[in-house]
Amino acid sequence: MGLKQLIGDLCFDPKHTRWIAPLLNVGDALLCVLIIWKIPYTEIDWTTYMQQIQLFLNGERDYTLIKGSTGPLVYPAAHVYSYTLLYHITDEGRDIAFGQIIFLFLYLITLTIVMACYRRVGAPPYLFPLLVLSKRLHSVYMLRLFNDGLAALMMWVSICFFINRKWTAGVIAWSLGLGIKMTLILLAPAVIVLLALSLSIWQCARLAVLALGIQVMLAMPFLPTNPQGYFNCAFEFGRQFMYKWTVNWRFIPEDLFLSAEWWRTLIILHALILFAFGLTGFLRPAGTNLIVFIRKFCTGQHRGIPLHPNFITTVLLTSLAIGLLCARSLHYQFFAYLCWATPYLLWRASYHPAIVCAIWLLQEIAWNTYPSTDISSAIVVLSLAVQVFGVLANRADAFPTISPAPRTKEHVQ
């Protein structure tokens, strides 16, 4: 075997991921320990989280009155419960080092699940180093202790379940993640598409009730006091963002960024891109057009289609990327959702490996530019556009319609 062929096999033969993934995991674990040991922790929101939890533990149940030094509580109830646990096991938030160790394990657990998903869809080995080399991602988890780490963990748990067609478990994990941070609502169009393709209308209805019921149960302690206040704070769709903190759209004028017209434009753009994917990619396994599919689904004639793991993953991560592309404002912690999705999306767009690595690097540099600049924010937006429209252009390969023999039994009950 020649050197060129050896390198090619190591980079592109998926069978090598069975030893590359564990090796990278071990190396990244050592890197994480070194980061905690050598790089100072940066206080941003941890103290505010702990102040808010203290108010909750003191009996405050009006969400509008739960505040900290950097602002009010703007996350759903699962965030409160998660950080209540962290509050107790980190000596009321004072033991920062132990909190960093906890987030180190959260990071490594999530990374392991991400790599398992990549292996499940047959991703080539050259993508795996890109999963462990992000400076910004390590910072989000171990130097900032943002709740995005917890939400990203639940996102990838749900993706793993969905890939293996465990629909009920996937919906539960996704809804719990949504209960930590509203960002996971960007996956909602994909979840709807996958369930509608795979299940009957009545099975989908049961899972929709389950997802909604989880949100209601999480919110129960706060609903008797001020239900409107809870939903307005936890799921604030019209939230105004500060121009100086945005990672994307920094290259447009501030007055336009803050305008209602710009917000409505992004919503319309989001809907149009999703519609384009729905017409040309998301419904490919159904082998029919949108109107016919909806008619069959609503009249109970649709009985479900076995979906390819790559189709499932592409739909989920594309929906996420579309949402981030059209987001009114992205902050640095949002990279927790995007970083591990980017290599997969660039691969499914069929870009050359050199281009995949170049786009990944440019995106990483842009997300590590602080404060953001016109150039860095433009790169953030363009890199997302390259991922989204690259998948759309390569939809025939990115959305495979022939499912392999199922490896696991589907779970819908």
Side-chain angles (χ1 to χ4, degrees):
M1 179 185 294
L3 179 61
K4 184 177 180 179
Q5 183 178 350
L6 176 62
I7 294 175
D9 287 345
L10 290 175
C11 291
F12 299 104
D13 190 344
K15 72 181 181 181
H16 294 298
T17 61
R18 67 173 178 262
W19 62 267
I20 289 176
L23 189 63
L24 289 171
N25 252 316
V26 172
D28 202 12
L30 296 175
L31 175 61
C32 291
V33 172
L34 189 63
I35 289 171
I36 294 175
W37 181 30
K38 291 293 186 179
I39 302 178
Y41 160 78
T42 303
E43 171 56 42
I44 297 181
D45 284 334
W46 174 262
T47 298
T48 293
Y49 292 163
M50 295 299 107
Q51 292 168 345
Q52 294 166 348
I53 297 307
Q54 183 65 64
L55 289 173
F56 169 71
L57 293 175
N58 288 341
E60 182 59 69
R61 295 297 181 267
D62 187 337
Y63 234 64
T64 62
L65 300 179
I66 302 179
K67 301 178 180 180
S69 55
T70 61
L73 178 57
V74 292
Y75 308 117
H79 160 86
V80 175
Y81 308 141
S82 301
Y83 277 83
T84 297
L85 176 61
L86 292 171
Y87 177 92
H88 288 302
I89 62 181
T90 59
D91 188 21
E92 300 180 356
R94 290 186 286 265
D95 193 346
I96 299 294
F98 189 52
Q100 290 180 279
I101 293 171
I102 293 171
F103 273 80
L104 181 155
F105 281 100
L106 285 173
Y107 170 86
L108 292 175
I109 291 169
T110 310
L111 175 63
T112 301
I113 295 171
V114 171
M115 288 186 171
C117 292
Y118 270 61
R119 289 189 62 190
R120 178 72 172 89
V121 299
Y126 79 88
L127 294 181
F128 283 73
L130 304 183
L131 303 177
V132 303
L133 293 176
S134 172
K135 176 183 176 182
R136 176 56 66 189
L137 192 61
H138 287 89
S139 173
V140 167
Y141 274 85
M142 283 153 286
L143 300 181
R144 306 296 190 270
L145 311 185
F146 286 128
N147 61 355
D148 301 85
L150 291 167
L153 169 61
M154 297 311 300
M155 182 185 84
W156 281 100
V157 168
S158 69
I159 290 173
C160 187
F161 280 131
F162 285 136
I163 290 174
N164 291 286
R165 305 177 193 170
K166 297 182 179 180
W167 306 114
T168 300
V171 167
I172 291 172
W174 170 69
S175 188
L176 289 174
L178 180 61
I180 296 173
K181 194 160 186 177
M182 195 179 70
T183 308
L184 265 65
I185 203 167
L186 298 179
L187 294 181
V191 173
I192 292 171
V193 167
L194 295 176
L195 295 182
L197 287 172
S198 302
L199 306 173
S200 70
I201 186 172
W202 302 115
Q203 291 171 321
C204 290
R206 288 200 298 270
L207 291 179
V209 171
L210 174 63
L212 180 61
I214 289 172
Q215 297 307 312
V216 173
M217 287 189 293
L218 290 172
M220 281 303 295
F222 307 99
L223 296 183
T225 303
N226 186 355
Q228 183 176 354
Y230 171 79
F231 287 107
N232 286 345
C233 291
F235 301 98
E236 188 179 359
F237 290 95
R239 183 181 174 190
Q240 184 68 277
F241 294 94
M242 296 181 67
Y243 182 71
K244 69 177 182 178
W245 297 121
T246 191
V247 179
N248 63 337
W249 306 123
R250 185 64 176 267
F251 57 91
I252 68 173
E254 184 173 3
D255 56 345
L256 176 60
F257 175 85
L258 296 174
S259 68
E261 290 77 12
W262 177 245
W263 178 50
R264 286 192 288 268
T265 299
L266 290 174
I267 292 175
I268 294 171
L269 180 63
H270 191 176
L272 289 175
I273 297 175
L274 284 174
F275 187 67
F277 271 88
L279 290 178
T280 62
F282 290 172
L283 286 181
R284 291 190 75 243
T288 186
N289 61 54
L290 180 61
I291 295 175
V292 173
F293 176 79
I294 292 176
R295 178 176 58 79
K296 288 184 176 181
F297 180 78
C298 292
T299 56
Q301 300 177 49
H302 176 72
R303 289 292 184 269
I305 304 167
L307 300 178
H308 195 289
N310 293 77
F311 176 89
I312 294 170
T313 310
T314 305
V315 170
L316 288 164
L317 296 184
T318 300
S319 180
L320 172 70
I322 294 169
L324 294 176
L325 173 63
C326 300
R328 188 176 189 180
S329 180
L330 297 177
H331 293 175
Y332 288 97
Q333 57 266 39
F334 282 68
F335 203 50
Y337 312 100
L338 174 63
C339 182
W340 283 320
T342 292
Y344 176 86
L345 291 173
L346 294 174
W347 170 56
R348 297 310 294 168
S350 290
Y351 294 123
H352 188 278
I355 296 177
V356 170
C357 294
I359 295 172
W360 177 91
L361 181 59
L362 285 173
Q363 178 176 265
E364 178 70 20
I365 292 172
W367 279 86
N368 278 284
T369 301
Y370 176 82
S372 63
T373 65
D374 289 352
I375 294 176
S376 71
S377 63
I379 292 174
V380 166
V381 173
L382 286 174
S383 62
L384 278 165
V386 166
Q387 294 169 57
V388 169
F389 293 109
V391 170
L392 183 62
N394 191 51
R395 56 189 174 274
D397 294 326
F399 298 101
T401 58
I402 300 176
S403 176
R407 291 172 53 178
T408 58
K409 182 180 178 181
E410 292 193 29
H411 296 269
V412 298
Q413 288 82 17

